[in-house]
């Protein structure tokens, strides 16, 4: 079994957070693939995965470049593998929702949220964002950190929905919901990290455009039973 991590980033000149992330993942034998200045997250992840010729049990990570994993590297690897050994697992991540209604904002209402993450520009300035249970089944997951097996990605489509206007929005909910609709189970797992962003891009026009399209592509409300 191999583990690969795909990290989209704007430049080949990495900032300190991304450099630390690459070093951290590499320290536990995770092969990092930087996706530099890509035009579409759907296409970048799909083409990156296809380039691997991965075995079915290989683990594939899709994550942001501004995260800082706050746990011993060996424990991180252990929790990742343990999470993906759950029965009929699709994706695992650190934050998500067990139910989704229109207007398809996963963190609302609060009682459907699961997981935990720190936010802030540095460890000295970070603050906790407790969403809910740290080890729980969910319907969809946030794209800050996603992991799955190659067998799942070979089962679902990774293509951007044709009606989506934005190239970078709602890929996470779309991919994880596709896995759930295909009969897989998604989970938040106790992997602790800091995310430098606090969601500044939420609210941009392309986010709202894709949110509206996403809401019409699936039969909401949907819920993990």
């Amino acid at each position: 079994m191999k583990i690969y991590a795909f990290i989209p980033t704007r430049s080949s000149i990495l900032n300190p957070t991304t450099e630390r992330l690459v070093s951290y993942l590499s320290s536990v034998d995770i092969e990092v693939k930087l996706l530099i200045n890509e035009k579409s997250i759907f296409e970048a992840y799909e083409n990156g995965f296809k380039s691997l010729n991965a075995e079915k049990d290989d683990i594939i990570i899709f994550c942001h470049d501004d995260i800082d994993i706050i746990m011993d590297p060996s424990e991180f690897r252990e929790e990742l593998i343990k999470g993906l050994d759950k029965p009929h697992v699709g994706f695992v991540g650190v934050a998500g929702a067990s139910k989704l209604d229109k207007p398809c904002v996963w963190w609302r209402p609060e009682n459907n949220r699961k997981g935990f993450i720190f936010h802030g520009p540095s460890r000295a300035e970070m603050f906790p964002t407790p969403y809910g249970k740290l080890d729980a089944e969910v319907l969809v997951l946030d794209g800050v950190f996603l992991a799955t097996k190659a067998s799942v990605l070979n089962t679902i489509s990774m293509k951007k929905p044709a009606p989506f206007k934005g190239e970078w929005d709602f890929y996470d909910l779309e991919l994880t919901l596709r896995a759930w609709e295909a009969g897989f189970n998604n989970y938040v797992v106790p992997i602790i990290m800091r995310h430098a962003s606090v969601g500044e891009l939420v609210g941009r026009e392309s986010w709202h455009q894709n949110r509206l399209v996403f809401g019409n592509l699936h039969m909401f409300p949907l819920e993990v039973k």
Side-chain angles (χ1 to χ4, degrees):
M1 180 196 71
K2 295 182 178 179
I3 306 179
Y4 303 91
F6 288 98
I7 306 175
T9 192
R10 291 183 175 87
S11 171
S12 58
I13 302 173
L14 304 182
N15 63 46
T17 299
T18 308
E19 283 188 336
R20 186 165 55 248
L21 174 63
V22 171
S23 176
Y24 181 99
L25 296 173
S26 300
S27 73
V28 285
D29 199 27
I30 295 175
E31 186 173 336
V32 175
K33 305 284 189 179
L34 294 174
L35 305 173
I36 299 170
N37 199 27
E38 295 281 351
K39 303 303 180 186
S40 166
I41 192 69
F42 286 94
E43 187 175 291
Y45 282 159
E46 181 181 26
N47 291 342
F49 171 64
K50 286 182 176 179
S51 73
L52 294 178
N53 194 27
E55 300 291 332
K56 65 177 184 178
D57 287 330
D58 288 348
I59 293 173
I60 314 298
I61 295 169
F62 300 130
C63 68
H64 291 194
D65 67 346
D66 60 344
I67 62 172
D68 182 16
I69 304 173
I70 309 174
M71 56 196 304
D72 180 88
S74 62
E75 292 180 4
F76 161 74
R77 184 183 171 99
E78 180 182 336
E79 289 293 346
L80 177 67
I81 293 172
K82 184 169 68 173
L84 287 168
D85 278 342
K86 293 177 183 291
H88 310 295
V89 67
F91 285 84
V92 301
V94 296
S98 58
K99 181 179 180 180
L100 201 61
D101 300 288
K102 289 184 179 180
C104 302
V105 179
W106 73 260
W107 58 88
R108 296 175 183 161
E110 293 185 0
N111 59 319
N112 295 325
R113 306 184 311 184
K114 310 294 179 186
F116 177 90
I117 195 166
F118 286 100
H119 287 100
S122 69
R123 291 195 183 191
E125 301 172 272
M126 68 185 185
F127 56 90
T129 307
Y131 292 118
K133 289 181 65 177
L134 290 180
D135 193 353
E137 186 176 353
V138 292
L139 180 72
V140 293
L141 289 157
D142 184 81
V144 64
F145 181 91
L146 298 172
T148 188
K149 290 189 175 181
S151 56
V152 175
L153 297 179
N154 284 327
T155 300
I156 67 171
S157 170
M158 295 182 67
K159 294 190 179 299
K160 184 184 79 168
F164 271 20
K165 302 299 182 184
E167 300 289 350
W168 295 89
D169 306 289
F170 274 80
Y171 70 92
D172 45 2
L173 271 62
E174 179 64 27
L175 292 179
T176 55
L177 187 55
R178 286 178 187 177
W180 184 82
E181 290 177 333
F184 296 103
N185 303 319
N186 300 320
Y187 297 90
V188 292
V189 292
I191 292 173
I192 307 303
M193 63 181 60
R194 174 183 66 87
H195 188 202
S197 168
V198 291
E200 294 91 340
L201 296 181
V202 170
R204 63 185 177 183
E205 184 178 0
S206 61
W207 186 86
H208 283 294
Q209 288 174 334
N210 282 11
R211 178 180 61 80
L212 292 172
V213 171
F214 176 77
N216 291 324
L217 286 176
H218 306 275
M219 298 296 293
F220 294 106
L222 293 171
E223 182 178 7
V224 170
K225 299 299 184 180

